[in-house]
Amino acid sequence: MTQAEQRGVNVLDPAQLVRIEAVHRGYLFQHLYTVQCLLSAVTLSMKSVEVEGDEDVEVQFEGRRIYVQVKHRKEPLAWNDIEEALARFGELRAVHKSGQRHGEPAFLIVSNAAPNGPLAARLAAADWPDDVRIDWPSADPEQRILPAPQSSLIETAEAACKLAGDLPFSTLAPQTLVWKLAGLVSLAATGEDENLDHTFQAGELPNLFEQLVMQLQDLPLPPSPYRVQEHEPDLLTGERVRLIVGYSGAGKTSWLAQSAQHASGAMIYLDVADTPGAALANAVAREVAGRLFQTGGGLREILLPGASGREILQLLSRRLAERGEIVTVALDNVHQLPADDLMGMIQSGRDMRFVLLGRPEGEVSTLEAILGVTREALLGWGPDTVAAAAHDQGCQSGAADCQRLIELTGSLPLFVLNAISVAESDYYGSLKQLCADLARSAHTREIAQDLILGRVFDRLPKAVADVAELLSLCDAPLSRTEVQSYVAAANGSDQAVFDRALRHLVSQGLLQVFADDRIKLHDAARAVGMGRLLLHGTESVKARREALRAVVQKSLVENWHPTKLSLFLRLSGEVGRLDVLVEMATDELFHEMSVWPEVEAYLEHGAQDEAVPPDQRIKALDGLAFAALKSGSERAGLWLDQMDALIIAHNLGAEEQLRVGMKRMNFLAGVGDRRGAMRLVTDLTPVVKTLPPGHQRVFWYNVACVELALGDAEAAEKRVQPLIRDYYELIGLTPDKVMGNNAPQLARMLKKGANVDDIKHLADSLDVLAKALDAQDQFSPLARTHALKFYDLARAPDSLFRVGQDLVDQFVRKRDFDGALNMMETIVLPQLRQWKLADYLISVAARLPEEAVYSPVGSCFRGIALKSTGCRPAVSSKGKNPFTATVMTDPFLTGSCPLGLPSSARSSARTVYFASRGRAADDTVPLTQFSTARAKR
């Protein structure tokens, strides 16, 4: 897989994409260098600065003209990089010599990289032209006339910001002016704007700076650092009218303020919250005219006495079209305006572009329908961004905690930040504890989400609010028919009321609609709706949960999905259906779904409740003991002791004895008690002989696990080999048939009636075989590869990721980094995306070789999606440890950071080691700079 594919960029020719990206890096470096020239024009007594004329940049002084070729290179500058430029310099020199062009010519090659050895030798030679210089960051500053180049795009932007900071515009952040100027330089290079036709006259620059300041100073400053939202839209797309809709806290104005810094063309911002609809056109017209035409006859011709606002806008629009100017008017809080007045204003300014920001209320739906535009929404922060924000506030969080907070807040920036603040002040910095209380509406302090969305609920008609409150119990998308069945059973609403309620909730942005006509209440609204629903009383809420549980159970049978399973289990616990939970808790596949946290508390309560029948209590304890053994928890011994006590007290049978006995011998082997573990093997062997063959196979598999844990790898290998043959025969496959086929193909090759438990047990046995061979220093790629395929076939993601990571480690120990990377790209990462198991983000991502880490913008950073622009490795991976990454982040294009990484605004460069490997093959170093570390296994 190429770097482009790792970043999720779908292109036919990845190599072409690499070339395109290099071209754009070069253009950005050139434009930022031009910005430095513009900001230095007065200081250096320049007369003009021209872009993309005969050369990249041409600087005119009194009696002298410097032609500048700008180069951005990853490697040292070489002769073939500049050979064509020197030939062109010769042509320009001849033009000046003939008198066709006035002034003394000089030629400059500006590069971020120093010359290589051969080129440096040419520079020192006697025949090097006297009027040609090469400048790079560490070159001799005494001979420098124009601004010094920097070694990276980030440093170039920093240098430009330093120059901008010396200008007398205290109300405008320097980086705002820099990025706006960069956009204008890019526009000037196209020749599309006759007012910026390639050339900036030094005498006009103060007025240009003043215009930019006037256009941007009314915009609120974006937060620092600004964190980019998921799939954040561009500000300027070519559409004449854009409608950006979201609740307060969605970050609409911050997005506009940040995007405006990088947009070319004029932008006028107005907050119309307190503007009467009748006065809107007049306010917009006078603001645009005053900003763009300033004073003089042109302004007097536009602002005619007695003319209405719409008439002025029409005249203004024509005048702008004649001048070839593209003007964007951004209006904030348009939901407070009458749709007719807004429509009239937009129609009058037909040659202008409009970006409309508002909340999903008022006449926004009417505006959407009449204008024929589709509302756009900001999607909020991703887990890595939430983790960065939490880290900055001193909070502790893991990947799963960040994902849970996103689900509870809808990922809206204000809601997330407010919740993090509450976690820091009231929960000792624990996001996990805060999320647990938010999910139960048990938090002690009202958060911004409660206040803002509470007012939205208050304004809903009662029938609509009732439906919204019912939907707050459901965090998995269900079909419209399923939701209607649930609402009818819980509330008795008829079809007409239900349909009207859904339309209203969609218009208010409270309802999300997915493919296949599936719907779900917005995550941010669910927490608020749940709090309101709890006010109806315990019995009422329980009845509604029962109704929803019945619908979800039926839906699971028809269309299984992990999120629906998680919801079903949680609802089963909340309505007291312990029988369902204990039956599932004794199923191994249940523990593969990462839904254990949903039911653990209910099983603990049931296991201690003497009113619960003994057969259910021991199953609850069995599930608790299995989970504890799997996680390495010391509580495993406690649950096993309670199981023994129940067996004795109620004289339970051989199957129960085998359950506790197998777990006990694994527990004893895990703590190194060889005598105790082997005594249990001896004691249980006669019991097992009376049980069915399936039970016997499971027992001997556990004996192999015990032998492996006690260091008897050869015995474990011999023990598990016949089991593997038996399981292959049971499911109708052979190792040869598995070769070259993946789970979908293998599913069609299975013996009719093959049991999914046998498939899972075959994968488990292959995993034990691989570990036994590892312990004997024997290479076993096929055992683990086949185990992966069977775990995939059995829908056992927990084991799939564990074994997949072991296989990657195995390739790394053999120095087969290509094999490790291929395994991650073709199996582990696709499965991680499919199952969306946040708990594995860090451990999976930590194993990626560095080559899989690097990608410029919107990349996949060791498996964690980064939306931040400007992430770059500072060093090459050649000859370095493959599990070490050095990262440079851009303080001006700040966005999402990796999980737990401090804000990039605090440091332009920092080194982060992701599960850095030492020389020892099985030595794992915890994740530096991360709040969640992977424990040594």
Side-chain angles (χ1 to χ4, degrees):
M1 182 181 289
T2 66
Q3 286 184 357
E5 291 168 327
Q6 292 164 17
R7 306 197 309 262
V9 181
N10 184 14
V11 292
L12 294 177
D13 187 355
Q16 174 68 2
L17 178 62
V18 171
R19 290 191 290 270
I20 291 171
E21 290 173 339
V23 168
H24 284 282
R25 281 195 296 271
Y27 277 127
L28 181 56
F29 184 71
Q30 174 187 325
H31 293 161
L32 287 173
Y33 185 78
T34 307
V35 169
Q36 292 185 57
C37 291
L38 293 176
L39 294 169
S40 307
V42 175
T43 305
L44 299 180
S45 301
M46 300 177 189
K47 295 185 67 177
S48 68
V49 177
E50 185 174 333
V51 293
E52 293 296 353
D54 290 314
E55 267 305 341
D56 293 339
V57 184
E58 299 173 34
V59 181
Q60 181 68 53
F61 291 90
E62 187 67 40
R64 190 181 188 192
R65 189 176 190 87
I66 301 180
Y67 296 88
V68 185
Q69 174 79 194
V70 183
K71 298 290 186 183
H72 184 277
R73 293 290 181 268
K74 287 188 174 180
E75 303 296 334
L77 192 68
W79 168 252
N80 60 357
D81 293 325
I82 67 170
E83 187 174 6
E84 289 185 9
L86 262 67
R88 196 162 51 253
F89 288 169
E91 296 173 3
L92 290 168
R93 189 183 293 114
V95 170
H96 277 268
K97 189 174 183 179
S98 67
Q100 298 177 50
R101 189 168 293 182
H102 300 293
E104 179 188 352
F107 307 97
L108 176 65
I109 296 172
V110 169
S111 173
N112 69 311
N116 64 11
L119 180 56
R122 284 177 179 261
L123 282 172
D127 60 348
W128 184 263
D130 292 336
D131 58 357
V132 178
R133 285 191 61 253
I134 298 180
D135 195 11
W136 64 94
S138 58
D140 183 4
E142 294 297 326
Q143 302 181 36
R144 189 173 284 148
I145 298 176
L146 297 182
Q150 286 74 38
S151 59
S152 70
L153 289 173
I154 296 169
E155 293 172 338
T156 304
E158 288 176 336
C161 286
K162 186 177 184 303
L163 291 171
D166 295 334
L167 296 178
F169 299 128
S170 60
T171 60
L172 196 64
Q175 57 262 41
T176 301
L177 183 59
V178 166
W179 290 115
K180 193 68 175 178
L181 280 172
L184 289 178
V185 169
S186 179
L187 180 62
T190 67
E192 290 292 320
D193 189 332
E194 62 181 21
N195 298 311
L196 291 173
D197 189 9
H198 294 276
T199 303
F200 295 85
Q201 298 295 334
E204 297 174 359
L205 288 177
N207 288 335
L208 176 63
F209 297 159
E210 193 74 36
Q211 280 186 15
L212 295 179
V213 171
M214 289 178 66
Q215 290 173 23
L216 294 171
Q217 67 184 359
D218 286 343
L219 268 169
L221 284 176
S224 180
Y226 177 78
R227 304 187 192 277
V228 179
Q229 300 197 36
E230 294 282 279
H231 306 294
E232 191 168 283
D234 293 329
L235 176 58
L236 304 179
T237 62
E239 297 292 331
R240 197 173 87 82
V241 181
R242 304 270 305 284
L243 183 60
I244 312 296
V245 179
Y247 294 110
S248 296
K252 302 183 297 296
T253 307
S254 296
W255 163 77
L256 178 71
Q258 176 72 9
S259 300
Q261 296 182 7
H262 307 278
S264 61
M267 166 160 296
I268 310 299
Y269 170 80
L270 290 91
D271 187 341
V272 296
D274 299 320
T275 303
L280 176 64
N282 195 291
V284 172
R286 293 184 179 277
E287 192 73 19
V288 173
R291 293 293 179 86
L292 298 181
F293 289 85
Q294 299 181 2
T295 59
L299 189 59
R300 287 195 298 271
E301 292 173 8
I302 293 170
L303 300 179
L304 297 173
S308 69
R310 293 188 185 182
E311 290 172 337
I312 295 174
L313 262 182
Q314 290 171 358
L315 180 58
L316 183 60
S317 181
R318 286 198 299 270
R319 185 64 58 83
L320 290 171
E322 292 169 0
R323 289 170 47 167
E325 291 191 41
I326 299 175
V327 177
T328 302
V329 178
L331 303 180
D332 208 348
N333 291 308
V334 297
H335 60 278
Q336 299 191 24
L337 294 171
D340 289 342
D341 292 322
L342 197 52
M343 279 295 304
M345 185 271 300
I346 291 173
Q347 290 168 354
S348 298
R350 61 181 178 273
D351 295 306
M352 301 179 190
R353 294 177 181 175
F354 294 90
V355 177
L356 312 177
L357 283 69
R359 298 202 292 266
E361 56 187 68
E363 297 193 46
V364 166
S365 296
T366 304
L367 191 66
E368 183 180 18
I370 295 174
L371 285 172
V373 299
T374 301
R375 70 174 68 183
E376 301 173 63
L378 299 177
L379 302 182
W381 287 344
D384 51 332
T385 312
V386 172
H391 184 280
D392 284 352
Q393 291 293 320
C395 291
Q396 302 86 45
S397 63
D401 302 326
C402 295
Q403 185 60 47
R404 185 62 173 148
L405 185 60
I406 285 173
E407 293 167 358
L408 292 168
T409 60
S411 71
L412 274 62
L414 176 64
F415 296 172
V416 172
L417 285 173
N418 181 246
I420 289 173
S421 175
V422 172
E424 189 273 331
S425 61
D426 294 9
Y427 290 84
Y428 304 100
S430 172
L431 280 194
K432 184 184 290 294
Q433 293 181 31
L434 171 69
C435 289
D437 278 0
L438 282 177
R440 297 182 293 112
S441 292
H443 49 294
T444 55
R445 187 197 303 186
E446 262 193 324
I447 59 177
Q449 189 172 342
D450 299 325
L451 299 172
I452 293 173
L453 293 183
R455 289 196 291 268
V456 176
F457 270 81
D458 289 339
R459 290 193 293 266
L460 294 175
K462 184 179 185 307
V464 177
D466 289 344
V467 171
E469 290 172 8
L470 287 173
L471 294 180
S472 69
L473 293 176
C474 183
D475 61 1
L478 298 178
S479 72
R480 188 183 299 260
T481 303
E482 291 168 341
V483 173
Q484 199 277 329
S485 298
Y486 160 51
V487 171
N491 204 35
S493 298
D494 60 27
Q495 184 71 42
V497 173
F498 174 75
D499 290 340
R500 189 168 65 252
L502 292 194
R503 286 195 297 272
H504 195 99
L505 291 173
V506 169
S507 71
Q508 295 293 304
L510 292 172
L511 196 70
Q512 295 174 299
V513 182
F514 301 88
D516 302 325
D517 202 28
R518 294 173 299 125
I519 56 179
K520 179 174 74 74
L521 200 66
H522 193 287
D523 288 333
R526 280 195 304 103
V528 178
M530 173 73 75
R532 298 167 69 94
L533 188 64
L534 292 175
L535 298 177
H536 293 283
T538 303
E539 291 303 316
S540 175
V541 174
K542 183 178 180 181
R544 286 161 170 77
R545 284 174 170 150
E546 288 276 17
L548 177 60
R549 180 183 175 277
V551 171
V552 175
Q553 184 175 13
K554 182 180 178 183
S555 179
L556 272 171
V557 174
E558 296 172 354
N559 185 17
W560 184 91
H561 194 275
T563 58
K564 285 193 284 190
L565 174 62
S566 178
L567 174 62
F568 174 73
L569 293 171
R570 187 169 65 254
L571 289 169
S572 295
E574 289 169 342
V575 301
R577 290 297 305 271
L578 185 66
D579 58 327
V580 174
L581 298 184
V582 297
E583 287 298 328
M584 299 194 75
T586 56
D587 187 337
E588 290 180 33
L589 287 174
F590 166 81
H591 293 270
E592 295 282 343
M593 303 296 180
S594 276
V595 294
W596 179 251
E598 307 281 1
V599 300
E600 183 177 16
Y602 301 117
L603 290 176
E604 285 191 22
H605 181 268
Q608 308 306 319
D609 187 352
E610 295 187 1
V612 175
D615 62 325
Q616 287 194 29
R617 289 179 65 193
I618 201 164
K619 287 180 179 179
L621 288 166
D622 185 60
L624 291 165
F626 185 89
L629 285 170
K630 189 175 178 181
S631 65
S633 170
E634 296 179 355
R635 301 184 73 188
L638 170 65
W639 304 130
L640 292 171
D641 290 343
Q642 293 188 24
M643 289 180 73
D644 282 335
L646 271 177
I647 290 172
I648 294 172
H650 298 278
N651 195 27
L652 298 179
E655 186 171 336
E656 284 75 15
Q657 294 177 38
L658 183 61
R659 283 179 187 272
V660 68
M662 288 191 300
K663 290 179 177 62
R664 175 77 71 180
M665 66 188 195
N666 275 284
F667 175 72
L668 293 175
V671 296
D673 186 350
R674 173 183 292 272
R675 180 176 297 178
M678 298 312 296
R679 184 177 63 249
L680 272 175
V681 172
T682 302
D683 293 345
L684 289 172
T685 298
V687 178
V688 170
K689 290 180 179 179
T690 66
L691 297 175
H695 290 65
Q696 294 182 34
R697 284 190 291 271
V698 172
F699 173 72
W700 293 117
Y701 161 79
N702 277 276
V703 172
C705 291
V706 168
E707 291 170 334
L708 185 63
L710 294 173
D712 299 333
E714 187 175 352
E717 178 191 356
K718 292 179 180 178
R719 182 85 61 187
V720 82
Q721 288 279 16
L723 294 178
I724 292 172
R725 289 193 293 270
D726 288 349
Y727 282 124
Y728 267 119
E729 184 177 349
L730 284 169
I731 66 175
L733 293 177
T734 65
D736 289 341
K737 290 182 179 180
V738 179
M739 293 286 290
N741 291 302
N742 290 323
Q745 294 78 37
L746 294 175
R748 295 190 290 268
M749 299 164 63
L750 292 172
K751 180 188 293 185
K752 186 176 181 180
N755 192 318
V756 69
D757 286 338
D758 289 334
I759 298 172
K760 167 69 164 52
H761 293 156
L762 172 56
D764 290 337
S765 301
L766 288 166
D767 180 33
V768 169
L769 174 61
K771 290 175 179 176
L773 293 173
D774 283 349
Q776 300 174 71
D777 292 325
Q778 298 181 38
F779 194 46
S780 57
L782 286 183
R784 282 202 173 93
T785 303
H786 289 189
L788 277 178
K789 295 178 181 182
F790 288 122
Y791 281 133
D792 188 9
L793 194 58
R795 284 181 171 176
D798 189 86
S799 292
L800 186 149
F801 293 131
R802 175 179 52 78
V803 173
Q805 293 173 93
D806 288 344
L807 184 55
V808 170
D809 288 347
Q810 184 174 313
F811 279 118
V812 170
R813 285 196 295 271
K814 296 295 182 180
R815 312 297 293 175
D816 183 1
F817 303 129
D818 289 336
L821 184 57
N822 181 65
M823 181 58 57
M824 293 297 268
E825 292 171 342
T826 59
I827 297 180
V828 181
L829 287 176
Q831 289 288 340
L832 182 61
R833 285 191 288 269
Q834 176 183 336
W835 286 94
K836 296 180 174 65
L837 299 182
D839 282 328
Y840 282 94
L841 277 175
I842 302 298
S843 59
V844 169
R847 284 177 164 83
L848 282 173
E850 186 177 2
E851 288 77 6
V853 178
Y854 166 61
S855 53
V857 179
S859 61
C860 184
F861 197 80
R862 289 203 185 268
I864 303 169
L866 272 186
K867 303 306 174 190
S868 170
T869 50
C871 289
R872 304 284 189 275
V875 296
S876 168
S877 64
K878 295 178 181 178
K880 297 183 72 65
N881 188 313
F883 284 82
T884 302
T886 302
V887 182
M888 184 169 287
T889 49
D890 182 348
F892 304 105
L893 299 176
T894 50
S896 304
C897 295
L899 285 165
L901 186 66
S903 164
S904 59
R906 294 185 177 180
S907 173
S908 61
R910 64 176 73 242
T911 302
V912 187
Y913 294 93
F914 293 76
S916 177
R917 289 282 194 163
R919 291 187 178 274
D922 56 356
D923 176 34
T924 301
V925 180
L927 299 176
T928 304
Q929 296 285 7
F930 277 77
S931 55
T932 304
R934 172 184 162 227
K936 184 176 180 180
R937 293 190 295 123

